[in-house]
Amino acid sequence: MKLTALTAALALTAGAVWAQDVAPTDVSYSEYGEVATPLTAEAGDAERGMQVFSQRSQGNCVACHVVAQYPDIAFQGEVGPPLSGVGGYRSAEELRGIVANAKMTFPDTVMPAFYKTTGFIRPGDAYTGKAASDDLPPILSAQQIEDVVAFLLTLQEG
């Protein structure tokens, strides 16, 4: 009985260590911006990802991108490329890298880095005219990134 309890405790402890999200500063990008390793132990949820994608208070992706498969999402943008079918021509690794920090794939993009906390030059310290002195929180959590990737992978042509 004691051995079973000890084994269970060790398994839970090991699981807690494994379940740790990848911190924004620890994300590993390939030469072309892909992120091979998921940012969380929990798989992305496409339904939650659609909410992050479409809601103005979260990712607000629709402010710049149009998705023809969802015409009921109001006020879709045209600044970024259309994402209809993106799940058919981009891999999860590519999408994860683009959503986390698109500048790693497209250096001249105006798309914000949704999972970055350092190295900003524009966000300032209130209205002082100086750069922020501390790291900024990421726009989206690691789980939200994985959820958006899961949603984008569902967008297939057809």
Side-chain angles (χ1 to χ4, degrees):
M1 183 71 163
K2 287 183 181 179
L3 184 57
T4 303
L6 182 59
T7 303
L10 287 173
L12 287 173
T13 303
V17 171
W18 170 254
Q20 189 72 24
D21 292 349
V22 175
T25 54
D26 293 335
V27 175
S28 178
Y29 295 90
S30 75
E31 178 183 0
Y32 299 106
E34 298 100 334
V35 176
T37 306
L39 304 177
T40 62
E42 181 183 342
D45 179 277
E47 196 170 309
R48 288 190 314 234
M50 199 269 238
Q51 295 301 315
V52 172
F53 181 91
S54 63
Q55 292 187 359
R56 309 275 186 250
S57 64
Q58 294 186 36
N60 198 20
C61 306
V62 295
C64 296
H65 301 280
V66 65
V67 177
Q69 290 97 323
Y70 293 92
D72 56 319
I73 298 175
F75 307 111
Q76 296 189 32
E78 297 176 352
V79 174
L83 296 179
S84 306
V86 71
Y89 61 87
R90 292 270 185 208
S91 68
E93 295 80 7
E94 290 171 312
L95 292 170
R96 186 177 297 114
I98 292 167
V99 176
N101 187 352
K103 289 194 183 322
M104 301 302 286
T105 302
F106 307 108
D108 296 327
T109 188
V110 296
M111 182 172 165
F114 285 94
Y115 200 63
K116 179 180 171 181
T117 58
T118 61
F120 295 104
I121 57 171
R122 292 200 175 137
D125 187 14
Y127 295 97
T128 64
K130 298 178 182 174
S133 55
D134 294 326
D135 291 351
L136 299 172
I139 297 170
L140 297 177
S141 70
Q143 188 60 56
Q144 288 173 314
I145 298 288
E146 293 301 323
D147 293 343
V148 169
V149 169
F151 168 67
L152 293 173
L153 288 170
T154 69
L155 300 177
Q156 303 287 322
E157 289 291 337

